[in-house]
Amino acid sequence: GAASTTRRNYSMSATTFAGSAQFAAGSILMQGGGALAAVVAAVLLNARYVPISVTVASIFPGRAPRRLVESQLIVDESWALAGRSGRFEYPILIGAGLLFYPLWVGGTAVGALAGSSLGDPKDYGLDAAFAALFLSLLRPYLRSRQALGAALLAAAVTLTLLPVAPAGVPIVAASAVCLLGLRR
């Protein structure tokens, strides 16, 4: 029932600190897709955290258990904010993650408890808000023609694959293309 759906949404929000994965999995399940398809979509979307984590691994102090726990605070926003100066700053990455996590879980709780009284999420234009968020996070990283070219190529791949590829595939493909573009 509704109570189990609320608990499931809240639990996923608390354990999956990645909005795109949660939205993709939720969308697949709400459209009648299976749990396996939802998990695969979430894993594909979160595959971008492998190269993101590699870029900041050296700034994490301490032993592996501490680094493992703290690395859970790496999300797109904390990573982008931590590196906007040209080098990654540990206090900003951890501070942003510590701020975003309770906001994310709390926002999910409000949404789950308030439910339909908040209206239809489609009316808020979240698709445009997410695009605007990621574009604003990207801007400080476009310091060279090479970076701009890689970003434009990744955008073209994403827009080309969105209508035809399963959830998660466009972002993974765009990340791969972008990484190849930056290596040249």
Side-chain angles (χ1 to χ4, degrees):
S4 67
T5 300
T6 299
R7 281 192 301 275
R8 193 177 13 202
N9 289 341
Y10 188 74
S11 296
M12 185 173 186
S13 185
T15 61
T16 308
F17 187 29
S20 57
Q22 188 171 349
F23 283 118
S27 294
I28 289 168
L29 293 172
M30 287 175 63
Q31 293 174 11
L36 180 62
V39 169
V40 168
V43 167
L44 284 173
L45 281 165
N46 284 343
R48 72 186 184 280
Y49 288 115
V50 172
I52 284 174
S53 296
V54 168
T55 63
V56 295
S58 65
I59 69 170
F60 281 86
R63 296 186 164 287
R66 174 184 172 179
R67 293 190 338 242
L68 178 65
V69 169
E70 290 179 346
S71 70
Q72 303 310 303
L73 298 172
I74 301 171
V75 291
D76 300 312
E77 297 83 358
S78 65
W79 179 83
L81 290 172
R84 68 181 187 258
S85 70
R87 62 182 178 80
F88 289 99
E89 299 177 50
Y90 172 81
I92 293 175
L93 189 137
I94 297 301
L98 287 171
L99 174 65
F100 294 148
Y101 181 76
L103 291 173
W104 176 252
V105 175
T108 301
V110 168
L113 294 172
S116 62
S117 66
L118 293 174
D120 187 348
K122 293 177 184 174
D123 294 340
Y124 295 114
L126 293 179
D127 49 351
F130 284 127
L133 166 70
F134 284 109
L135 287 173
S136 67
L137 291 173
L138 176 66
R139 196 196 61 70
Y141 291 89
L142 301 179
R143 295 183 180 110
S144 69
R145 291 178 90 147
Q146 184 180 15
L148 179 60
L152 290 172
L153 185 57
V157 167
T158 300
L159 292 173
T160 301
L161 291 177
L162 273 174
V164 296
V169 171
I171 190 73
V172 172
S175 296
V177 167
C178 189
L179 288 172
L180 290 173
L182 283 174
R183 288 187 62 196
R184 293 180 176 229

